Amino acid sequence: MSPPLKLVRRGLHDTTEILAAELALALPGTDMPRWTELEWRLATAAAVAHGISPLLCRFSTWQRPAWRRFLVEQRGHVAQRHERIATLLQHIDAAARTAGLPLMALKGAALHALGLYAPGDRPMADIDLLVDEVHADATAGLLASLGYEASFAQWKHRVFKPAGVVPVTGLGEHRDTPVNIELHTRIHERLPVATVDITAQVRSHEAPPGINAYPSMGALMSHLLLHAAGNICGRSLRLIHLNDIALLASRMAPADWEPLWEADAPWWALPPLGLVARYYQGAVPKAVLARLERDCPPLLRAFARRQTLTSLSCSNLWLNALPGLEWSRSPGDAVRYLKNRLRPTQESVKERADMVRTQAWLQGQDWVTLGHRRRLLTWLTRPVPRMDTLYVVRKALEHGAPLTI
């Protein structure tokens, strides 16, 4: 018997916020919560959804046997998968050098290269690579030579998957999960309809063939903040995103933040950095926050002050009918956004079809195959749970001994 969704919603909220405090404080001796069996299962779901199980294995002192066993297993899977990813990056680097192709390894790979995470600390869903547009097809050919095939393409990137490999389903990370590769020619996000592009700030100029690093820590921070902003806009933020930013911020001197302002004012950076400052106290310089406050539009600034990790992530069980509307910078942007919600573009329809075809958590779900009008009507008449959240909750409830409700 499945628990009522209202109970799941409340449990996800409570466990997510407690786990965030446990990880961000990283202080030994924190009292173990007096959770019910259902809440412990939902805590595992939240830890998986936010990508923090391996880090909790290091920092959480709660000695509940099933909890410790789950965290240790997750860290082991992530460590083994990290070895596969590191080896694959070496092969890509060698092949790119031979082919004369300059590439950049983005986000998680870059954070590992800086030593901010030890192997096994941080899950990586895939490898993100940035390549100049003129080298995109040649790089796709390079990936094909390494056993990869095109899966789908969207406005943001092209996705490649290992040929003939079957996805692994289950709760959390698994060492045998295929390592997909996302190939980017731009670093940009739609917030929510206007595109913010920071490619010029992020790309290494005159980079040699092979895999290159970001030109500076400020460039990496700009990318992490824009990526987090896009996830906040879409209500898909993860705690690991905040942890990435907090760790990098701890390495940065005042001058290292300047690349944020190299082009247009980073009006989008305050919401993610403000959340980092809220959960990781002392991680962000007050002068940086004050400067970003001046850049941020008033509506978005007010929105950012009252949001929590749960409200901006999949830990909020209910779908939001208008996610990201508060990021509109003009009435015109808001109107375009509403039009797109009422009548999706052909590009949006194709993206949805690609998601249904390639994502395990969407397989067999009636909601995702309903017509757009039916979905709108449902949104107006009752709360609709998120499919990604329900998937991980179901896997958590199935994990271990049967749960009695």
Side-chain angles (χ1 to χ4, degrees):
M1 179 179 176
S2 299
L5 290 181
K6 289 184 178 180
L7 193 61
V8 171
R9 179 175 181 266
R10 184 168 67 247
L12 282 174
H13 173 277
D14 294 346
T15 56
T16 295
E17 295 301 323
I18 290 172
L19 290 177
E22 175 79 353
L23 180 61
L25 293 174
L27 296 175
T30 308
D31 290 340
M32 187 169 71
R34 295 181 178 180
W35 285 334
T36 64
E37 178 63 27
L38 172 61
E39 288 170 323
W40 279 108
R41 299 286 182 96
L42 293 176
T44 64
V48 165
H50 286 276
I52 57 170
S53 301
L55 283 175
L56 287 171
C57 184
R58 287 184 57 191
F59 293 116
S60 177
T61 59
W62 304 338
Q63 293 305 313
R64 188 173 190 270
W67 175 249
R68 291 303 309 171
R69 186 165 55 251
F70 169 73
L71 297 183
V72 170
E73 288 174 354
Q74 284 291 282
R75 185 171 177 81
H77 280 292
V78 171
Q80 291 181 61
R81 198 160 186 270
H82 176 83
E83 291 182 9
R84 292 174 54 210
I85 291 173
T87 299
L88 178 55
L89 282 168
Q90 290 173 357
H91 291 326
I92 294 172
D93 180 50
R97 289 173 186 272
T98 301
L101 298 172
L103 308 173
M104 275 182 62
L106 305 173
K107 296 184 301 187
L111 293 166
H112 274 100
L114 285 173
L116 292 175
Y117 289 107
D121 276 354
R122 186 189 189 279
M124 285 177 59
D126 43 45
I127 293 174
D128 290 85
L129 298 174
L130 177 65
V131 62
D132 192 279
E133 183 71 52
V134 298
H135 299 309
D137 289 340
T139 304
L142 180 154
L143 297 179
S145 73
L146 295 175
Y148 276 77
E149 61 183 11
S151 178
F152 65 93
Q154 54 164 254
W155 67 274
K156 195 174 178 181
H157 53 235
R158 296 159 67 180
V159 177
F160 296 81
K161 65 178 183 179
V165 178
V166 179
V168 177
T169 59
L171 178 64
E173 305 298 322
H174 195 282
R175 59 181 173 270
D176 296 328
T177 301
V179 179
N180 290 345
I181 297 174
E182 294 183 356
L183 191 61
H184 303 252
T185 59
R186 312 290 301 174
I187 301 299
H188 53 179
E189 294 284 349
R190 290 176 179 168
L191 303 173
V193 290
T195 299
V196 175
D197 191 320
I198 61 168
T199 308
Q201 296 161 253
V202 169
R203 193 189 299 277
S204 293
H205 302 289
E206 299 182 3
I211 291 181
N212 294 273
Y214 287 81
S216 67
M217 284 193 290
L220 173 55
M221 178 60 80
S222 296
H223 188 192
L224 294 180
L225 288 174
L226 182 60
H227 179 69
N231 281 282
I232 289 174
C233 191
R235 304 299 194 268
S236 56
L237 184 69
R238 305 176 80 199
L239 181 53
I240 195 65
H241 298 150
L242 302 186
N243 201 76
D244 292 345
I245 295 166
L247 285 178
L248 184 60
S250 70
R251 293 275 191 97
M252 294 173 67
D256 292 327
W257 292 89
E258 287 304 314
L260 268 173
W261 287 272
E262 279 184 358
D264 296 333
W267 59 271
W268 39 266
L270 180 65
L273 205 57
L275 270 178
V276 172
R278 187 178 308 162
Y279 285 92
Y280 295 79
Q281 295 181 12
V284 183
K286 292 182 179 178
V288 173
L289 286 173
R291 191 173 175 185
L292 290 175
E293 285 264 359
R294 296 192 293 269
D295 295 329
C296 190
L299 178 62
L300 183 58
R301 188 165 63 237
F303 164 82
R305 287 175 182 152
R306 64 177 185 270
Q307 297 305 307
T308 65
L309 174 64
T310 297
S311 67
L312 298 173
S313 72
C314 67
S315 288
N316 186 356
L317 181 59
W318 305 137
L319 277 173
N320 189 308
L322 299 173
L325 180 60
E326 64 282 339
W327 289 72
S328 302
R329 299 178 69 196
S330 68
D333 278 353
V335 170
R336 285 173 59 204
Y337 173 85
L338 292 172
K339 284 183 177 179
N340 288 343
R341 295 298 286 177
L342 291 171
R343 183 174 294 178
T345 63
Q346 286 300 311
E347 180 185 54
S348 297
V349 172
K350 182 180 182 302
E351 285 183 13
R352 186 178 186 83
D354 286 335
M355 289 286 288
V356 172
R357 177 173 56 84
T358 60
Q359 303 302 312
W361 52 273
L362 288 175
Q363 304 301 311
Q365 300 298 325
D366 294 338
W367 166 258
V368 296
T369 56
L370 285 178
H372 187 68
R373 291 183 180 179
R374 287 280 302 280
R375 290 200 306 274
L376 283 177
L377 181 61
T378 306
W379 264 323
L380 292 173
T381 55
R382 63 175 175 85
V384 178
R386 295 175 56 139
M387 295 298 102
D388 52 348
T389 305
L390 280 185
Y391 178 85
V392 72
V393 166
R394 289 191 184 107
K395 293 299 180 183
L397 295 179
E398 294 168 359
H399 191 72
L403 181 64
T404 301
I405 304 300

